[in-house]
Amino acid sequence: MNQTLQLAAIFSSHMVLSRGKNIRIFGEAAQGAVIAVTLAGQRVETMARGGQFEAVFAPMEAGGPYTLTAADGNTTLTLNDVMIGDVYLAGGQSNMEWPLAQAQGGPELIKTLDQPMIRYVNFPCIAWPDEAGRARERQMRWKPLKPNACSDISAVACHFALHLQPQTGVAVGIIGCFLGGSSVTCWLDEAALCLTAAGTTLLETYRANNAWKSDAQFAAETKAFEAEHQAWWKQARELQCKNPGITWEEIRQRAGNGPWPPPEGMKSPYRPAGLADTMVKRIAPCALTGILYYQGETDARHPQLYRPLLMTLIAVWRDWFMDPTLPFLFVQLPMFIAKGEADDRSWPLIRQAQERVCRDMRGTGMAVLIDGGEFDNIHPVDKQTVGYRLYLQALNVVYRQAAQADGPYALAARPGGKAMVIALSLPVRFTGEAALFELAGADGVYHPAQARAEGNELILTADGVDQPMAARYAWVNYGVVNAFGETGLPLAPFQFSAEA
């Protein structure tokens, strides 16, 4: 039976294709069919093999709108209003997924936002590669930013694009590929997970814990969870409508804690190696300008495993998108702790892992958000700052502009008598009495430290620590920082020993 010509679902009218890189148009067609694809006055012919085809255009300059056609002699597909510009995949978990409609200033912005040179598409969350999932995939469409028509765009990615587009003057496309609550392991396939001991352990543990559960049982548990979750969100939304200024603490006092986590199972979207196949690989190898990534909260359960997993993710995503130098810009976790929760200092370990990945891997940029976050709210409503700081990273990493994207970083530590001297990349200033600095002696017990700035150095001293051996800053899940660089960007968290 002949297979109907179809473009991959990521391609639709109003889309943005990446400038300056090979443009790959791919999809499905009958075995042996010759597919002719036209774009911007160019024509490429290719043959379908194994039911798949791919047409590759040489790099093009920014421009448009263009018409794209694909024809196999029987069927002709036409996409209109196609732009060539810069394309970013926005990935991660809920803080990247968080829609503009629920972000600070979002409802007002949505009413007037008219930016046709910014377009976006959200890849639907597909837990399992069945026909229902494929049907949802085929329904997704690119949309330009128009008034009252962009409430579901990632707020972080939206603010990023709003800063970037006027700077570049070209069309900006955002591909949303995220799921709230997802671990980094969700976005790696089985082969990638097995590249590291951490990934292998997490994959095998999940399978061992869930191999006994039938599809019917998992479906029943999921149905019950979704009903409970929807009921809780309905009540929360009603409380927000009645009182737009209500806090999450007040919502939980009235509606109770929202149900979480969802049931585990071998068809769960939260299983290791799931979303990589059902979402990311369905977009690849579409050419990208860069990746925006905001994730890590879920992996605070095992922070010591995060660094190799994030490094693997960057490497394999670059491989899947056929771009070994693909820029990868990500967010270092901000401050957070739930009310009544003990500070186990797991988030500082995730932040440290993220900092080391940025230091060790080329083509990466990290937006420091240690001055951000909200007490008892894992979804801080300020997404403008996040988008702006990712934009600053893009100016440096992607566009090679000499922007001051980073605040002060600690470079090294050395003992200085009863003090520890921290060498910084930039001078710091304090907006009040220095806070969240700590020193430890040979016993490894940390004490609150006093800090003073001298040029590009910090001098730390602490009562009870006569011979400092280690220093750290902002080493808490949640706290309030007041150390900043001259541009207003915060001092990044750090941990050093005297020998480092």
Side-chain angles (χ1 to χ4, degrees):
M1 184 173 63
N2 289 334
Q3 187 171 356
T4 303
L5 175 68
Q6 291 187 60
L7 291 169
I10 193 61
F11 303 116
S12 78
S13 294
H14 312 298
M15 68 182 174
V16 182
L17 299 172
S18 186
R19 61 173 168 160
K21 298 185 177 184
N22 288 338
I23 295 175
R24 292 179 287 272
I25 307 298
F26 49 92
E28 300 176 357
Q31 172 68 24
V34 176
I35 316 300
V37 184
T38 65
L39 172 66
Q42 299 186 37
R43 175 187 172 97
V44 173
E45 288 191 358
T46 186
M47 181 178 290
R49 293 178 174 82
Q52 308 290 321
F53 76 90
E54 179 179 275
V56 182
F57 290 85
M60 299 183 187
E61 298 294 324
Y66 300 117
T67 297
L68 183 147
T69 66
D72 64 355
N74 297 311
T75 302
T76 299
L77 305 175
T78 302
L79 305 182
N80 298 308
D81 187 31
V82 175
M83 302 296 293
I84 297 175
D86 291 341
V87 182
Y88 287 85
L89 186 148
Q93 57 182 108
S94 55
N95 275 305
M96 182 62 84
E97 182 180 18
W98 206 252
L100 187 60
Q102 296 177 28
Q104 185 180 73
E108 295 77 18
L109 183 59
I110 288 167
K111 296 175 184 177
T112 60
L113 198 54
D114 190 3
Q115 298 285 344
M117 289 287 280
I118 299 175
R119 288 102 183 276
Y120 76 102
V121 61
N122 288 338
F123 201 99
C125 175
I126 299 176
W128 190 254
D130 55 16
E131 183 51 39
R134 294 289 178 257
R136 293 176 59 226
E137 181 182 305
R138 288 191 292 269
Q139 292 171 1
M140 67 181 184
R141 297 289 184 273
W142 282 83
K143 299 189 296 183
L145 294 191
K146 292 289 186 180
N148 299 308
C150 54
S151 61
D152 62 338
I153 187 174
S154 157
V156 168
C158 181
H159 287 294
F160 169 85
L162 288 172
H163 286 291
L164 182 66
Q165 197 284 320
Q167 178 74 18
T168 62
V170 306
V172 175
I174 300 294
I175 301 173
C177 185
F178 31 58
L179 175 63
S182 58
S183 162
V184 65
T185 61
C186 299
W187 304 104
L188 293 162
D189 66 5
E190 183 174 343
L193 281 171
C194 292
L195 292 174
T196 66
T200 301
T201 297
L202 293 172
L203 177 65
E204 292 178 348
T205 299
Y206 190 91
R207 288 178 170 173
N209 290 342
N210 292 279
W212 60 271
K213 188 179 293 185
S214 68
D215 288 352
Q217 181 172 349
F218 172 70
E221 291 176 355
T222 300
K223 183 177 180 180
F225 170 82
E226 289 177 347
E228 184 181 359
H229 196 262
Q230 290 173 6
W232 186 87
W233 269 110
K234 180 181 179 181
Q235 188 175 359
R237 291 283 176 265
E238 290 174 350
L239 291 169
Q240 288 177 323
C241 289
K242 292 178 182 178
N243 178 12
I246 193 170
T247 66
W248 284 105
E249 180 181 349
E250 292 171 326
I251 289 174
R252 281 191 287 270
Q253 287 174 351
R254 300 187 184 186
N257 292 322
W260 196 264
E264 289 191 349
M266 297 309 292
K267 291 187 176 181
S268 166
Y270 298 99
R271 72 190 185 280
L275 301 179
D277 289 323
T278 60
M279 295 177 68
V280 183
K281 287 187 177 180
R282 302 290 293 177
I283 300 168
C286 180
L288 301 175
T289 305
I291 292 171
L292 312 175
Y293 191 75
Y294 191 164
Q295 192 277 325
E297 299 94 330
T298 293
D299 292 290
R301 297 173 298 187
H302 36 70
Q304 70 281 4
L305 304 181
Y306 192 70
R307 182 185 179 193
L309 293 171
L310 181 58
M311 294 181 74
T312 302
L313 182 139
I314 295 171
V316 299
W317 279 23
R318 286 171 169 171
D319 183 53
W320 295 344
F321 287 96
M322 301 177 67
D323 189 343
T325 62
L326 182 62
F328 193 96
L329 315 176
F330 59 96
V331 178
Q332 187 183 50
L333 292 189
M335 293 290 196
F336 168 73
I337 197 168
K339 183 180 180 181
E341 182 179 81
D343 194 329
D344 62 3
R345 301 181 191 266
S346 57
W347 282 46
L349 295 175
I350 293 288
R351 298 181 195 119
Q352 183 182 58
Q354 292 170 323
E355 185 273 328
R356 289 178 175 176
V357 168
C358 186
R359 178 190 64 194
D360 294 343
M361 297 194 74
R362 293 183 178 181
T364 61
M366 185 179 74
V368 175
L369 264 294
I370 198 63
D371 57 332
E374 296 178 20
F375 176 75
D376 201 35
N377 182 12
I378 202 168
H379 303 122
V381 296
D382 175 15
K383 304 303 185 192
Q384 297 171 325
T385 300
V386 187
Y388 177 68
R389 291 186 186 171
L390 283 170
Y391 156 74
L392 292 179
Q393 293 296 326
L395 291 183
N396 267 356
V397 177
V398 182
Y399 302 98
R400 305 298 182 183
Q401 297 186 19
Q404 185 59 63
D406 296 316
Y409 270 79
L411 302 175
R414 71 177 191 275
K418 292 186 176 182
M420 182 78 84
V421 181
I422 308 297
L424 301 175
S425 61
L426 297 167
V428 299
R429 58 178 176 81
F430 301 110
T431 59
E433 185 176 351
L436 299 185
F437 293 93
E438 297 176 279
L439 285 179
D443 60 2
V445 177
Y446 280 92
H447 300 263
Q450 296 79 48
R452 72 177 189 274
E454 294 184 0
N456 279 35
E457 292 183 336
L458 283 175
I459 314 300
L460 306 184
T461 57
D463 295 337
V465 183
D466 292 334
Q467 291 184 310
M469 299 297 293
R472 64 188 186 188
Y473 167 66
W475 210 257
V476 291
N477 288 358
Y478 181 84
V480 178
V481 302
N482 63 359
F484 298 86
E486 294 178 353
T487 62
L489 295 173
L491 171 65
F494 63 79
Q495 183 184 53
F496 276 112
S497 66
E499 295 80 16

